[in-house]
């Protein structure tokens, strides 16, 4: 429990106090956001706001995790390190994308193929490595079983697992990226899901089959659940502190640096905590916003008509006249409900198991 408190508080303090220094540095170098001409007109006033803010909470998360280990004398685990690798790796891909935007002074960064290649390399490396590093019980950070609140009994095999993990990581990283369109929206939503995974990791640790006198259907065969809670708490605290500066009117944007990293972190936590399909409910807002884009594109290609005034969904409501703050708060409420339902299903799975 001390590890969770330390990692969360260190991450919070680092971003709360350190983000202003990053804002000044980025502003001094002229690394400001470029706004697309086809976006909502209200966004044009945000042009020049420092971007690449994801650097703040990625670094804070890494420092919080390793500082916690140093303070408590505990060793890092394979599961925790793999989630941090995925988070940082996708953050680097996003950083390259953001850097090209600000240096080339254009709203589009990396070419689509280059960005996809970078995401694919990091995602596939994570998926392959997650099947290694078995502990004394033979458990690896990930398994080749699909999971909801626990692993299902049937396995899909290592090859299909790697493909499945890649799909999850790509879907969630791009989902957070699409959600990051209004001040604080993606950051606040991510804080809620990381809070849920802090609870899930702590619960799985307390009900772990390794400590059970007799293994039951309701105990959890997860390799390093407590360390996953430590990582999730570090991410939650870091994002919470960053939200102080990212909320409307934002002093800094997370950019692709942050959105790709957060999506990767969420997918990684789901995979190694054996709650893969549950993530679709816990991260329901990201799923809804992603579906709005799929529906918009599909409808236009098949019928030539648009379902929404603009996609992603948050921009549809902007064009309907809703204020930015109103949209963000209402979407946060939706995300909070998704987390509540997801945790309810997680607990129900344990009770009925």
């Amino acid at each position: 429990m001390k590890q969770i408190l330390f990692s969360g508080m260190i991450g919070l303090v680092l971003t709360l106090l350190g983000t202003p220094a990053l804002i000044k540095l980025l502003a001094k170098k002229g690394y400001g956001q470029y706004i697309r001409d086809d976006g909502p007109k209200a966004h044009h006033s945000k042009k020049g706001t420092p971007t690449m803010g994801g650097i703040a909470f990625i670094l804070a998360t890494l420092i919080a995790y390793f500082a916690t280990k140093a303070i408590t004398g505990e060793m890092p685990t394979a599961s925790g390190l793999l989630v941090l690798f995925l988070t940082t790796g996708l953050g680097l891909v996003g950083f390259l994308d953001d850097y090209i935007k600000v240096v080339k002074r254009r709203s589009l960064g990396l070419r689509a193929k280059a960005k996809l290649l970078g995401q694919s390399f990091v995602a596939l490396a994570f998926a392959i490595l997650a099947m290694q590093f078995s502990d004394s019980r033979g458990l690896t950070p990930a398994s080749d079983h699909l999971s909801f609140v626990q692993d299902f009994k049937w396995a899909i095999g290592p090859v299909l697992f790697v493909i499945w993990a890649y799909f999850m990581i790509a879907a969630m990283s791009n989902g957070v990226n699409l959600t990051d369109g209004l001040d604080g929206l993606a950051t606040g939503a991510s804080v809620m899901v990381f809070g849920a995974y802090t609870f899930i990791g702590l619960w799985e640790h307390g009900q772990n089959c390794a400590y059970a006198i007799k293994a039951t259907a309701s105990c959890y065969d997860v390799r390093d659940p407590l360390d996953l809670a430590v990582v999730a708490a570090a991410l939650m605290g870091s994002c919470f502190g960053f939200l102080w500066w990212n909320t409307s009117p934002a002093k800094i944007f997370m950019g692709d640096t942050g959105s790709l990293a957060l999506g990767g972190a969420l997918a990684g936590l789901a995979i190694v905590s054996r709650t893969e399909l549950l993530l679709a409910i816990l991260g329901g807002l990201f799923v809804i916003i992603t579906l709005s884009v799929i529906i918009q594109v599909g409808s236009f290609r098949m019928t030539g008509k648009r379902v929404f005034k603009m996609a992603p969904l948050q921009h549809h409501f902007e064009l309907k006249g809703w204020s930015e703050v109103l949209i963000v708060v209402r979407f946060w409420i939706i995300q909070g409900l998704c987390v509540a339902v997801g945790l309810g299903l997680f607990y129900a799975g344990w009770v009925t198991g």
Side-chain angles (χ1 to χ4, degrees):
M1 191 65 179
K2 287 193 297 183
Q3 290 189 71
I4 295 172
L5 293 174
F6 281 139
S7 64
M9 287 304 300
I10 293 171
L12 172 64
V13 171
L14 285 175
T15 49
L16 193 60
L17 301 181
T19 303
L22 179 62
I23 294 173
K24 291 180 180 178
L25 176 63
L26 294 172
K28 183 178 180 181
K29 290 184 174 293
Y31 291 171
Q33 180 71 36
Y34 283 83
I35 306 299
R36 294 176 60 176
D37 294 332
D38 58 350
K41 292 181 180 179
H43 287 204
H44 291 176
S45 62
K46 301 180 180 184
K47 185 176 181 180
T49 302
T51 187
M52 297 191 287
I55 295 171
F57 55 74
I58 293 172
L59 289 178
T61 298
L62 293 173
I63 294 171
Y65 177 80
F66 289 107
T68 296
K69 295 301 176 182
I71 293 169
T72 60
E74 299 289 337
M75 292 295 294
T77 66
S79 299
L81 291 175
L82 280 169
V83 174
L84 292 175
F85 161 76
L86 181 59
T87 304
T88 307
L90 289 178
L92 286 172
V93 175
F95 173 79
L96 290 174
D97 189 46
D98 288 333
Y99 186 76
I100 292 173
K101 290 176 186 176
V102 297
V103 171
K104 300 285 188 179
R105 298 186 178 276
R106 66 189 192 194
S107 60
L108 297 176
L110 282 173
R111 302 294 181 188
K113 289 184 179 179
K115 191 173 182 179
L116 180 61
L117 182 63
Q119 289 177 286
S120 300
F121 174 80
V122 176
L124 292 175
F126 167 84
I128 294 170
L129 290 172
M131 295 294 291
Q132 315 302 318
F133 309 109
S134 58
D135 64 6
S136 58
R137 293 180 295 150
L139 288 177
T140 53
S143 75
D144 61 354
H145 294 69
L146 293 180
S147 60
F148 182 55
V149 295
Q150 293 192 55
D151 278 344
F152 294 123
K153 294 181 179 180
W154 37 271
I156 60 175
V159 175
L160 285 179
F161 164 76
V162 170
I163 296 172
W164 166 243
Y166 168 77
F167 169 78
M168 276 192 65
I169 294 165
M172 189 52 63
S173 59
N174 288 309
V176 177
N177 186 252
L178 291 171
T179 305
D180 182 34
L182 300 180
D183 295 353
L185 178 58
T187 309
S190 297
V191 167
M192 298 181 205
V193 189
F194 288 133
Y197 271 109
T198 302
F199 171 80
I200 287 172
L202 189 59
W203 185 267
E204 288 180 340
H205 173 71
Q207 311 296 328
N208 200 273
C209 296
Y211 313 127
I213 297 175
K214 181 179 180 181
T216 64
S218 60
C219 70
Y220 299 94
D221 263 327
V222 178
R223 191 188 189 284
D224 308 297
L226 181 60
D227 211 37
L228 297 180
V230 174
V231 172
L235 285 159
M236 178 180 64
S238 299
C239 288
F240 210 0
F242 181 76
L243 183 60
W244 181 272
W245 307 103
N246 182 232
T247 195
S248 183
K251 300 294 188 296
I252 187 170
F253 299 139
M254 70 169 69
D256 281 16
T257 306
S259 60
L260 296 186
L262 292 182
L266 292 171
L269 286 169
I271 291 169
V272 294
S273 66
R274 311 294 206 269
T275 56
E276 296 160 1
L277 297 176
L278 185 64
L279 179 60
I281 299 173
L282 290 172
L285 180 64
F286 304 123
V287 175
I288 292 168
I289 288 177
T290 301
L291 286 175
S292 74
V293 175
I294 295 172
I295 292 169
Q296 183 85 325
V297 173
S299 175
F300 186 75
R301 287 182 176 177
M302 289 187 293
T303 68
K305 296 181 180 180
R306 293 179 172 87
V307 176
F308 307 105
K309 290 180 178 293
M310 182 178 287
L313 188 60
Q314 61 269 30
H315 299 321
H316 167 78
F317 289 105
E318 277 191 288
L319 295 182
K320 284 178 67 69
W322 291 23
S323 70
E324 181 172 5
V325 173
L326 179 64
I327 297 169
V328 169
V329 172
R330 286 182 173 175
F331 276 36
W332 280 351
I333 292 171
I334 293 171
Q335 177 55 52
L337 292 172
C338 291
V339 166
V341 171
L343 288 178
L345 291 171
F346 177 77
Y347 181 71
W350 178 77
V351 171
T352 60

